Amino acid sequence: MAKSKKKMKKAAPKSRKVSLKATQVKKAASKSAKRAHSPKIPGYDDLPVRAGAPAGAAWGVFGDDDEVGTINLLTPERVIAAAASIRSGKVFALNLPINIPDPPLFTRGRHTHTVKVFPNAEFVLDDYLDNFYPQSSSQWDALAHVKHPVYGAYNGIPDNQMTGRGGMRLGIDNLARRGIAGRGVLADVARYYDRVGKEIDFTKAESIPLEDVQAALEYEGVALHTGDVLLIRIGWTKFYLSASDEIKADLARETVVPGIEASQRTARWLWDTHLAAVASDSPALEALPKAAEDTEFLHFHMLAFFGMPIGEMWNLEGLAEDCAADGRYDFFLTSAPLNIPGGIGSPPNALAIK
């Protein structure tokens, strides 16, 4: 017994040291968070800041030559502060396999995967993809993906400088070189709907009101901070993975999907919340196709006006289960898009670390 007590006495200082270190890290993260919130960003009603830019456009906010938009909000200080969201060390990969959906949506083709055996070294394997659409599965949209039909692309970059239109600007390679890391927050609208008795018809272009996204966040008890990456789960991935072959074939012929409300007030909220990016498990983030009388397209506001990247068809199921289990809906998020020079999109290669 005496020996046991001695061992316990020796172990105690080590425990206090670890506790002190954890406290110091927490305080440092808190200070970093305060510093991270200090830069002033114009509100939606103060846009534009550049003469001649369209109303509601953030052109020039991050510099006249900028090509990464709101990802600029992921400052080193915010990345440090985001590390405080790692508590359990659990890692969740947020990418679907590249062959899902199958058949692909939006008239995209199937890829083929070939494994090659080296003829003079049969112990070595290589492989290649043909007909690979980087946006056929989980994806980021590059800022070049959608321009405004009247006012043009993000930051007023002219067509002859854009990738695919004469130049190489606004491609996904900008995000790949920059890298994406920071605090992520999950708005689990699907789980909130289950709780309050609401349903989504995944075979129709239903619009999820902005208030329901806000209510989901309020129910979760999580607050959004400047520079956050917001992930919105509506339950589409879960629906699709259990859908019949007939429904999947119908979706490939005509892609009809629900999504969040596409309106100026949604755009205003996204900007005034100062998010770095938004991703969803929906194939389009917003509901598609649009009704004939509907002229609002959230992609115009986010990609062309704000420079705010859009993620689509992310696999949020495992992450959502864990968030519901421990009641924590924030996490550290990393994403490394493929460095495709002039690319229009990429798999996100995204991880949520809780």
Side-chain angles (χ1 to χ4, degrees):
M1 287 290 289
K3 285 183 181 178
S4 178
K5 284 180 180 178
K6 282 181 182 179
K7 284 181 181 177
M8 286 177 69
K9 284 180 180 178
K10 285 179 181 178
K14 198 179 268 189
S15 176
R16 285 196 299 270
K17 188 176 181 182
V18 170
S19 177
L20 178 61
K21 186 178 179 183
T23 303
Q24 288 171 337
V25 169
K26 193 172 182 181
K27 285 181 179 178
S30 176
K31 287 179 182 177
S32 294
K34 288 176 182 177
R35 287 197 303 270
H37 289 254
S38 57
K40 291 291 289 180
I41 305 164
Y44 185 84
D45 289 336
D46 297 319
L47 298 176
V49 298
R50 182 199 292 172
W59 300 356
V61 168
F62 302 109
D64 289 337
D65 295 321
D66 176 62
E67 296 185 55
V68 298
T70 49
I71 294 298
N72 283 291
L73 297 173
L74 292 171
T75 61
E77 293 82 8
R78 291 195 176 101
V79 176
I80 292 170
S85 295
I86 301 176
R87 303 174 183 93
S88 68
K90 293 179 183 177
V91 179
F92 298 88
L94 307 180
N95 310 277
L96 289 169
I98 63 171
N99 61 343
I100 294 177
D102 183 26
L105 310 181
F106 301 111
T107 72
R108 293 170 177 136
R110 280 190 179 98
H111 74 273
T112 58
H113 178 211
T114 303
V115 176
K116 172 185 172 183
V117 179
F118 279 76
N120 298 323
E122 57 80 25
F123 50 86
V124 178
L125 294 178
D126 201 353
D127 65 346
Y128 57 91
L129 299 174
D130 283 316
N131 203 48
F132 175 52
Y133 284 71
Q135 290 170 279
S136 63
S137 185
S138 302
Q139 65 188 267
W140 278 121
D141 288 343
L143 301 187
H145 179 54
V146 172
K147 67 170 185 169
H148 193 283
V150 175
Y151 301 110
Y154 172 66
N155 233 357
I157 292 173
D159 278 9
N160 63 5
Q161 294 182 23
M162 280 182 66
T163 181
R165 302 181 186 275
M168 288 290 285
R169 301 187 69 186
L170 296 181
I172 197 69
D173 47 310
N174 291 285
L175 296 184
R177 289 192 301 271
R178 169 65 168 72
I180 298 171
R183 181 175 182 255
V185 172
L186 176 68
D188 194 344
V189 175
R191 199 171 299 273
Y192 171 73
Y193 271 15
D194 287 342
R195 179 175 175 79
V196 300
K198 293 185 74 170
E199 293 183 353
I200 300 172
D201 187 342
F202 290 101
T203 65
K204 294 181 180 176
E206 288 192 0
S207 182
I208 296 165
L210 172 60
E211 288 85 359
D212 289 353
V213 177
Q214 295 169 325
L217 290 166
E218 186 176 353
Y219 170 70
E220 295 165 1
V222 63
L224 292 172
H225 300 160
T226 295
D228 283 352
V229 178
L230 176 62
L231 309 185
I232 302 173
R233 176 180 176 259
I234 67 170
W236 188 88
T237 298
K238 184 177 181 180
F239 153 77
Y240 184 85
L241 293 176
S242 63
S244 67
D245 290 342
E246 183 181 3
I247 288 175
K248 290 176 181 177
D250 286 343
L251 280 170
R253 278 190 292 271
E254 183 185 6
T255 305
V256 179
V257 293
I260 66 171
E261 174 188 325
S263 64
Q264 186 177 32
R265 72 185 193 124
T266 300
R268 178 190 299 274
W269 179 74
L270 293 174
W271 176 262
D272 283 340
T273 308
H274 299 152
L275 299 172
V278 182
S280 172
D281 58 346
S282 168
L285 181 64
E286 56 193 309
L288 288 180
K290 300 293 184 189
E293 66 277 6
D294 189 358
T295 57
E296 283 289 351
F297 192 29
L298 205 51
H299 280 58
F300 293 158
H301 291 280
M302 295 175 68
L303 296 178
F305 281 7
F306 301 162
M308 184 179 288
I310 296 173
E312 294 155 338
M313 287 190 285
W314 286 31
N315 185 5
L316 306 177
E317 293 306 302
L319 174 64
E321 287 290 334
D322 196 76
C323 289
D326 67 10
R328 299 180 188 275
Y329 288 83
D330 67 314
F331 37 86
F332 192 84
L333 183 130
T334 70
S335 175
L338 298 179
N339 196 341
I340 307 169
I344 306 302
S346 167
N349 302 313
L351 299 174
I353 307 171
K354 291 193 68 185

